[in-house]
Amino acid sequence: MAERMSGLADDRALLGRTSTAERVADILRSRIAEGFFPPGTRLSEDSIGGALGVSRNTLREAFRLLTHERLLAHELNRGVFVRVLTVEDVEDIYRTRRLVECAVVRGLGEPPYALDGLAGAVAEGRRAAREGDWKAVGTANIHFHQELVALASGERTAELMRRVFAELRLAFHAVDEPQRLHEPYIARNVEILQALEAGDRDTAERLLAAYLDVSLERVGEVYRRRVGDGD
C-alpha cells in the first residue's frame, strides 16, 4: 500500500494551488481506469488524502462524485471500494453503447466527416499491438469509440459516454487474456473508419452494431467466468 500511495503522490502536482474535489475525482478516475486501483480495492481516506495532500472533506466529496458515476461503492461500516461490476452491469453498458453510438453514426449528416481523431485512435491501437501492449490496445479501442461519439458534437452525449466508458474499463480489468479480447477490434475499427471515409453511414452503422454485439458476447463470456453473477 505504501508503494501504491507513493505513486499516487506523483499526481499531487496536478492539483495546483486551487485543489478541488473535481480535480481529485479526475485523478482518481484516471487511476481507476488505468487499473492502479483495481475493482474491489478499498480506498483509504488517510492514505489517499496524505498522498495527494488534500483534506478529508475534499476527498469525501471526490468519493461522492465517483460513487454517483458508479465507479465507487460505499459499504456501511466498511468504507469506500472500487466497484466490481455484475454481469447485468456489463450488459447494461453495452445496451447504452449500442443506443448512443449507432445513433451518432446514423445522425452524422452529409460527408465528409472530421475523422482525424478516429484515424489517430486506429494508429494508436496498431502501434500498441506491434509492441505487444494489449492493455494499451484496449485503451486505444476506447479512444476510438470516444472519438466516434465526439462526432456528434454534443456535450451531454460526450459526458454520458465518458462515464459509460469509465465503467467499461472496470470490466476490462477482470479480463486475464487481454490480447484475445482486444486484438480482433483493431481490424473492426479500421472497417468502420473506412466506411465513414467513404461517406457510407449505413455500412458504418451496420459494422458498429455487429461490433458491439460481438464485443458484448466476448466480454460477457469472460466476465461470467471470472466474476459470476454477483451473487
Side-chain angles (χ1 to χ4, degrees):
M1 179 61 73
E3 182 179 351
R4 187 185 298 274
M5 291 307 110
S6 176
L8 186 63
D10 294 339
D11 288 333
R12 185 183 293 197
L14 299 176
L15 296 174
R17 294 183 178 180
T18 57
S19 172
T20 65
E22 288 81 5
R23 289 193 181 95
V24 174
D26 286 343
I27 289 171
L28 295 179
R29 186 186 300 109
S30 295
R31 288 294 190 166
I32 291 168
E34 294 165 1
F36 186 84
F37 296 117
T41 301
R42 181 180 180 276
L43 301 186
S44 165
E45 289 184 0
D46 291 338
S47 297
I48 295 175
L52 293 177
V54 298
S55 70
R56 188 180 296 269
N57 285 341
T58 295
L59 189 59
R60 286 178 176 175
E61 176 62 13
F63 284 173
R64 187 192 68 79
L65 292 171
L66 295 178
T67 299
H68 180 68
E69 294 180 19
R70 300 175 60 82
L71 295 179
L72 301 181
H74 179 268
E75 297 185 16
L76 189 63
N77 299 323
R78 294 194 64 214
V80 175
F81 295 79
V82 179
R83 281 190 69 225
V84 177
L85 301 183
T86 65
V87 173
E88 288 76 15
D89 287 326
V90 174
E91 291 172 346
D92 192 39
I93 286 169
Y94 274 90
R95 187 179 304 115
T96 302
R97 291 187 65 190
R98 207 178 197 282
L99 286 170
V100 174
E101 293 186 49
C102 289
V104 166
V105 173
R106 193 180 314 125
L108 280 178
E110 294 302 316
Y113 309 121
L115 303 175
D116 287 350
L118 283 180
V122 166
E124 177 189 351
R126 285 171 158 171
R127 183 167 56 251
R130 287 195 301 269
E131 296 170 355
D133 189 344
W134 298 106
K135 287 187 177 181
V137 172
T139 296
N141 184 43
I142 287 180
H143 288 166
F144 178 89
H145 289 272
Q146 287 174 324
E147 293 292 344
L148 183 69
V149 169
L151 294 175
S153 300
E155 292 184 8
R156 290 177 180 82
T157 303
E159 174 64 17
L160 167 65
M161 295 308 293
R162 181 181 64 79
R163 296 184 180 188
V164 169
F165 290 133
E167 279 195 84
L168 181 62
R169 287 177 182 264
L170 294 180
F172 286 172
H173 292 317
V175 175
D176 55 358
E177 296 179 316
Q179 178 176 358
R180 180 171 176 268
L181 178 66
H182 298 306
E183 187 173 24
Y185 304 127
I186 297 173
R188 287 179 177 269
N189 287 346
V190 171
E191 290 177 345
I192 294 169
L193 174 61
Q194 289 174 339
L196 290 174
E197 287 174 336
D200 190 345
R201 287 177 302 165
D202 292 341
T203 296
E205 183 183 356
R206 177 178 56 78
L207 290 169
L208 176 61
Y211 173 118
L212 292 173
D213 288 345
V214 170
S215 183
L216 172 57
E217 183 178 349
R218 286 176 175 268
V219 175
E221 175 190 354
V222 172
Y223 212 73
R224 287 185 183 89
R225 186 170 67 248
R226 290 295 304 277
V227 179
D229 293 328
D231 296 334

